[in-house]
Amino acid sequence: MKTSTLSSDVELAAARSRLYGMLAAILKYPDISLVEFVQDHAACASVRDAAAEVSARQSPRLSEEIEIVMAHFRRKALVELEDAYLRTFGASPRGRVTAYECEYGSSEIFQFSSELSDITAFYSAFGLCSGDGQERLDHISTECEFMRILCAKEAHLLSEADRAAAEHLEVTRDAQKNFMHHHLGRWAAAFARQLTAADPDGPYGSAARALEEFILKECGRWSISVGPAFLPLREIPPADDPSNCISCGKAEGLPGQIPESSPEEQSAD
């Protein structure tokens, strides 16, 4: 592989990682680290550079969408973002907008458990099966965080020049493709459409449009079909059904949570 091509591939993988990290940060419940991140000129410049890199290679519209997102979030104080989040998503997994993959689809507990187990297996394969993350493992921000880690790993492996790195690179790329095909790419478009409708002129609506544009191009990158624009939610089991214990917002006791990284750590990748 030519040096110029290799360098370009490293830059693209790093840029994709930063964009996944930004989406992970803004799609979870807001905290002070998010406010500090969107007010940090260097961190925002890093995200803009990443969007420009990905736009040039994958999506001309993405830079514009990311700039709108950053502007929306930069104008909001923490209390305003908290209010906007609760107003848009609600206070439970089955609120106005559902940000959990396993809430979509069949009501059968077998399917729910199978999907959770499959997501856990992806995380576990990369040493991410435990931690103190505050969101359930199938939350949109957690899945974006996982893709951030995979893209950062890809960038690192591309910069290495030995046979072992080449083998690990193939595994890492296969994981990105398969996770996009079976999980994030399957439901992100439906989630984004819900979110856009719930907050059309607000910060989370802008985040939804950026997410949908990015995921569309990411699916194209791996030559897989993006999921449908609408997915039904699974029926809620009766109150005495044991599956209800995995529908709590914080997922206490669930395996597979990814340790959270701050937006500053994400932008440094």
Side-chain angles (χ1 to χ4, degrees), residues 41-234:
H41 294 296
C44 290
S46 177
V47 171
R48 289 192 190 95
D49 290 345
E53 177 70 25
V54 174
S55 290
R57 301 277 291 275
Q58 292 183 203
S59 170
R61 287 181 48 199
L62 190 59
S63 281
E64 179 182 347
E65 298 289 359
I66 293 295
E67 188 61 43
I68 293 171
V69 173
M70 300 302 287
H72 267 291
F73 279 80
R74 191 164 49 246
R75 291 195 294 263
K76 301 288 186 182
L78 178 57
V79 66
E80 293 176 302
L81 288 175
E82 290 174 332
D83 288 345
Y85 188 96
L86 291 173
R87 184 174 60 251
T88 303
F89 290 94
S92 72
R94 299 301 291 266
R96 187 180 180 191
V97 176
T98 303
Y100 299 86
E101 178 187 349
C102 294
E103 297 301 327
Y104 296 84
S106 169
S107 62
E108 295 180 3
I109 185 59
F110 173 78
Q111 178 179 331
F112 192 110
S113 300
S114 177
E115 289 178 358
L116 282 173
S117 295
D118 194 55
I119 294 169
T120 302
F122 273 100
Y123 298 166
S124 180
F126 288 86
L128 301 168
C129 60
S130 64
D132 57 357
Q134 294 184 345
E135 281 295 358
R136 215 167 73 182
L137 59 85
D138 62 327
H139 192 273
I140 185 70
S141 66
T142 311
E143 294 195 2
C144 284
E145 175 69 4
F146 179 57
M147 288 297 291
R148 179 194 76 81
I149 293 169
L150 291 183
C151 291
K153 186 175 181 66
E154 178 185 356
H156 171 72
L157 291 170
L158 281 166
S159 65
E160 300 293 317
D162 55 43
R163 181 175 178 179
E167 293 173 352
H168 287 302
L169 176 62
E170 183 178 357
V171 170
T172 301
R173 284 176 164 170
D174 283 346
Q176 291 179 51
K177 179 178 180 179
N178 289 327
F179 192 76
M180 185 63 65
H181 177 62
H182 294 290
H183 294 289
L184 187 56
R186 182 190 71 83
W187 73 287
F191 163 74
R193 294 294 178 90
Q194 276 195 58
L195 189 53
T196 299
D199 190 35
D201 301 316
Y204 291 102
S206 69
R209 289 185 287 273
L211 173 70
E212 184 173 13
E213 178 68 15
F214 187 40
I215 294 300
L216 177 65
K217 300 308 178 185
E218 283 286 276
C219 286
R221 170 183 177 80
W222 300 113
S223 300
I224 60 178
S225 298
V226 69
F230 173 77
L231 285 172
L233 297 181
R234 69 183 186 91

